[in-house]
Amino acid sequence: MLLPSTRESLPHPSDTHVRGRRDNETVRITVGDLEPGRVGLFDPDAGTLLAEGRLAEFPSLVALFEHMRPRWVWSDTRRWAPLLLTAGVRIERCSDLRLSAAILEWSTDADTSRTEHPPRPSWLAPGPAELALDATHAAASIPGAAAAPATASSADRVALFELDELDDVADGGPREGRIGEASGAASDALGRATPHQVADEHDRQLAIVARSARPPRLRLLLAAESAGALIGAELTAAGVPWDSATHDRVLTDALGPRPRPGAKPARMEELAAHVRIELAAPTLNLDSQVELLRALRAAGIRVDSTARWELREHDHPAITPLLAYKRLARLLSANGWGWLETWVIGGRFRPDYVPGGTATGRWATSGGGALQLPKQVRTAVVADPGWQLVVADAAQLEPRVLAAMAGDLRMAEAARGRDIYQGIVDAGVVATRGEAKIALLGAMYGATTGESGRLLPRLARAFPAAMALVDRAAATGERGARVTTLLGRSSPLPPASWRATQARATEPDATAQDERRARSSARDWGRFTRNFVVQGTAAEWALCWMAGVRARLARLGELEDQSDASPPATAAGPVFARRPHLVYYLHDEIIVHTPAELADEVAVAVRESAADAGRLLFGEFPVDFPLDLSVVQSYGDTGD
């Protein structure tokens, strides 16, 4: 129920009884459990319990306060947001304490400020990415230098994240790339807390950020991560529009008719029979790696694994049908008829996204495999009647992010308005686009031998700042220390086994093999940290891009609510039935489902949001983030 202090004032947006601290005129309301089955809304700055009610009443209570544009603060968006979306309630912004705590717990930028405050409370369980991190830590922080330009002004950012005191993220001058280590924390998986406990934890996090090495950057990262949490919940609620009949035709064309339970599709059986003949192994089970490897070697095919890349290196009549079999087996297991029946319901595929689900900040999924949709089934992603899909992906995102992070003007120039690999060729660095791609991807992912290793010195001469940034990150990882993204997300420490390997190599009786193993494992971890700083910052750009798209779509949706030009997309749920909305995200690619009459405006919004994300992170540094953008009826029509 509403408490007396707010009951009469709610119809009047100008008269707010929610007082206290504001982020650019935005109040905050904390959400928590009062007792089992009851929820409370609390104004921590006024010390007022605003409303309470049964869990079923939570959406209506939130709807009464949303006109004030508050920042909702809660433990976990994955718990609270679905309740709202199911009831037709959409909020503008939130602070997700679980995701924020995970960032602050490991960020090297918060090493000192974190020790000045109590540890994370036991009710705030660690996030998915944190569970994979090594809990051991070192006390030292090892700084590293990396020049970069000033970033955008607070005026540019306020419209997107409504953050208070968000000055230039780089403080108007060169940025220092910080490299170091941080600590872990105990946790509890329940995640239940009162509104007062939620407020206390939010205050703790705000204080850590305020005393961190780079407060504006961390503040932006936490806001972007929380916006991503809302987007993840909304993607699941809206779902990807899916044509099951088209999907079934794709499977039938590739595999043959659907087999009886326990049997293989006809096309797979044909290929398996061909492989058995060529390998002279009539009882071979192609799904058994052990049996297949034995049969390949018996036929004179010298392989160490059954990986496709290794099989392709051999010229034998069994290889082509075997590779075809493996492709179909993958399609059947990942997106076959069983997947279709499980994940596509009522014309929508609703994957369970996990924002911040990896160490770099990239998303994961806990079901549905949305991050690995093969090209064959993309034709089943079909807009509703009267609607269209706006499909956009950021072209060569990570190389552009690297150029901007490093402040490498020549590399940014090679990328401006064109394919960056061709730009590297045009700059006279290498001879072909293929060489440029091999060299640049090798620099970012640590492929420093072979053809990539031969070309890397040319890149280093042409783009010294960019190459120095990733080389420093690799060297830091090889020492077992941490690297940190542009906004402040830090890499995990190497596991205890890695440290044991390094320690063994320094012992008096260490063998040459011990030393080789230590060097190899150090290089492996260096390859991880080399890419972490680039991939992690690219993930930050993508969060800002999507947050911008989400905000612009909301404004377009307010106009569309007054129109009935397109039939409603009822399967998208009560919030999105008449509004353009995000339905898919894959690292650097998004899909918006939109009424056809708004498609052009949505395309503009998607492009403008990409440009805004670049300015938000990198200011006026001259790097662009072009999009490959299509307005289509089916995802399969993009030609990717």
Side-chain angles (χ1 to χ4, degrees):
M1 68 174 186
L2 287 175
L3 300 184
S5 62
T6 57
R7 184 190 303 274
E8 296 180 358
S9 65
L10 281 172
H12 308 287
S14 61
D15 179 18
T16 82
H17 281 247
V18 185
R19 303 189 300 277
R21 176 183 318 169
R22 283 165 168 76
D23 294 335
N24 295 323
E25 302 306 316
T26 298
V27 299
R28 62 174 180 159
I29 300 176
T30 61
V31 175
D33 299 279
L34 297 178
E35 58 186 53
R38 294 190 67 81
V39 62
L41 311 185
F42 179 63
D43 174 4
D45 301 304
T48 303
L49 185 63
L50 301 170
E52 62 175 302
R54 298 187 308 275
L55 199 59
E57 298 173 301
F58 173 59
S60 60
L61 296 179
V62 168
L64 287 169
F65 288 92
E66 178 60 19
H67 71 268
M68 301 176 186
R69 301 182 66 233
R71 182 177 301 282
W72 297 95
V73 182
W74 49 40
S75 60
D76 190 348
T77 303
R78 284 164 60 85
R79 178 190 176 196
W80 296 105
L83 300 175
L84 302 178
L85 294 166
T86 300
V89 177
R90 177 192 179 277
I91 65 169
E92 186 174 349
R93 60 175 62 82
C94 79
S95 287
D96 186 303
L97 297 185
R98 188 182 310 285
L99 289 173
S100 298
I103 291 170
L104 295 178
E105 198 69 36
W106 299 94
S107 176
T108 60
D109 285 346
D111 274 347
T112 299
S113 59
R114 191 169 49 245
T115 63
E116 299 171 349
H117 299 279
R120 175 172 45 182
S122 61
W123 55 264
L124 197 61
E130 266 192 294
L131 294 175
L133 303 184
D134 180 17
T136 61
H137 66 279
S141 177
I142 306 171
T151 55
S153 67
S154 58
D156 294 325
R157 292 184 293 274
V158 165
L160 180 55
F161 292 112
E162 299 288 351
L163 299 174
D164 192 23
E165 299 175 359
L166 191 54
D167 302 324
D168 282 349
V169 169
D171 301 322
R175 177 184 56 78
E176 181 181 83
R178 301 186 61 83
I179 300 172
E181 304 179 355
S183 64
S187 65
D188 183 295
L190 294 177
R192 298 287 193 260
T194 68
H196 294 76
Q197 289 175 312
V198 170
D200 289 344
E201 170 59 11
H202 192 226
D203 284 340
R204 184 188 77 92
Q205 293 184 6
L206 292 175
I208 290 173
V209 172
R211 294 292 303 275
S212 67
R214 304 179 299 172
R217 292 179 183 273
L218 265 182
R219 196 173 292 124
L220 175 57
L221 176 55
L222 300 190
E225 189 85 338
S226 295
L230 284 175
I231 293 166
E234 291 170 1
L235 289 172
T236 300
V240 183
W242 204 275
D243 187 327
S244 294
T246 298
H247 190 148
D248 182 76
R249 284 196 298 272
V250 168
L251 296 177
T252 301
D253 290 345
L255 297 163
R258 183 173 184 174
R260 66 182 186 277
K264 287 280 195 304
R267 179 58 180 150
M268 290 180 64
E269 289 286 14
E270 293 170 5
L271 291 168
H274 191 176
V275 173
R276 293 186 187 110
I277 291 172
E278 296 297 344
L279 295 181
T283 62
L284 173 62
N285 176 8
L286 272 68
D287 298 323
S288 168
Q289 184 175 2
V290 173
E291 286 189 37
L292 180 57
L293 194 59
R294 184 185 303 120
L296 289 168
R297 289 171 177 169
I301 305 172
R302 301 302 177 190
V303 290
D304 295 321
S305 73
T306 61
R308 281 174 289 184
W309 66 267
E310 188 172 358
L311 293 174
R312 290 192 190 101
E313 296 179 355
H314 297 270
D315 182 16
H316 188 281
I319 298 300
T320 297
L322 176 56
L323 291 174
Y325 178 93
K326 291 172 74 70
R327 283 193 297 271
L328 294 183
R330 170 64 181 167
L331 174 62
L332 179 64
S333 63
N335 300 100
W337 288 281
W339 180 93
L340 182 59
E341 291 179 348
T342 301
W343 287 101
V344 179
I345 300 173
R348 288 296 186 273
F349 165 42
R350 304 180 192 276
D352 186 7
Y353 285 99
V354 184
T358 70
T360 62
R362 278 189 167 189
W363 288 17
T365 58
S366 62
L371 303 183
Q372 294 180 338
L373 287 183
K375 291 181 180 179
Q376 298 108 301
V377 303
R378 292 183 180 183
T379 56
V381 180
V382 180
D384 288 358
W387 290 60
Q388 289 183 300
L389 304 176
V390 177
V391 182
D393 69 274
Q396 301 151 346
L397 175 59
E398 290 187 5
R400 296 170 192 277
V401 164
L402 172 58
M405 288 179 69
D408 197 312
L409 286 168
R410 191 178 179 199
M411 189 171 176
E413 176 60 31
R416 193 168 306 125
R418 56 184 166 179
D419 177 288
I420 190 172
Y421 304 125
Q422 187 58 47
I424 292 173
V425 174
D426 295 343
V429 181
V430 294
T432 68
R433 185 184 184 278
E435 286 185 340
K437 186 173 184 178
I438 289 172
L440 191 49
L441 293 180
M444 292 189 299
Y445 286 89
T448 55
T449 60
E451 180 71 358
S452 178
R454 181 181 68 81
L455 297 169
L456 281 179
R458 302 186 195 180
L459 281 189
R461 289 191 296 270
F463 312 121
M467 295 304 104
L469 187 149
V470 290
D471 286 345
R472 276 195 303 272
T476 301
E478 290 177 12
R479 294 196 299 270
R482 289 184 165 170
V483 295
T484 296
T485 63
L486 179 73
L487 296 185
R489 191 189 304 269
S490 294
S491 63
L493 289 168
S497 58
W498 184 95
R499 296 187 179 278
T501 298
Q502 302 305 309
R504 172 59 186 155
T506 64
E507 293 175 359
D509 61 342
T511 65
Q513 184 178 7
D514 292 330
E515 293 172 357
R516 285 194 299 271
R517 186 179 296 115
R519 287 194 297 270
S520 176
S521 62
R523 286 193 298 270
D524 287 345
W525 199 258
R527 281 191 288 272
F528 167 66
T529 53
R530 172 187 291 272
N531 183 244
F532 182 96
V533 292
V534 181
Q535 187 180 110
T537 302
E540 292 164 356
W541 180 92
L543 282 175
C544 293
W545 178 34
M546 284 200 297
V549 171
R550 178 180 184 267
R552 283 179 166 85
L553 294 183
R555 291 194 288 271
L556 288 175
E558 291 170 0
L559 300 175
E560 183 64 10
D561 277 345
Q562 309 305 316
S563 169
D564 58 357
S566 293
T570 53
V575 172
F576 303 114
R578 291 193 176 275
R579 300 177 171 216
H581 51 278
L582 284 158
V583 295
Y584 185 66
Y585 166 56
L586 174 62
H587 305 323
D588 56 7
E589 182 175 3
I590 62 172
I591 301 177
V592 177
H593 191 218
T594 177
E597 64 272 16
L598 290 180
D600 290 342
E601 293 176 76
V602 168
V604 170
V606 170
R607 290 193 187 278
E608 289 180 346
S609 297
D612 284 351
R615 285 190 292 269
L616 189 62
L617 266 65
F618 306 114
E620 298 308 315
F621 183 75
V623 65
D624 59 357
F625 293 92
L627 302 178
D628 293 327
L629 189 146
S630 304
V631 179
V632 294
Q633 195 64 27
S634 167
Y635 190 15
D637 295 340
T638 60
D640 292 339

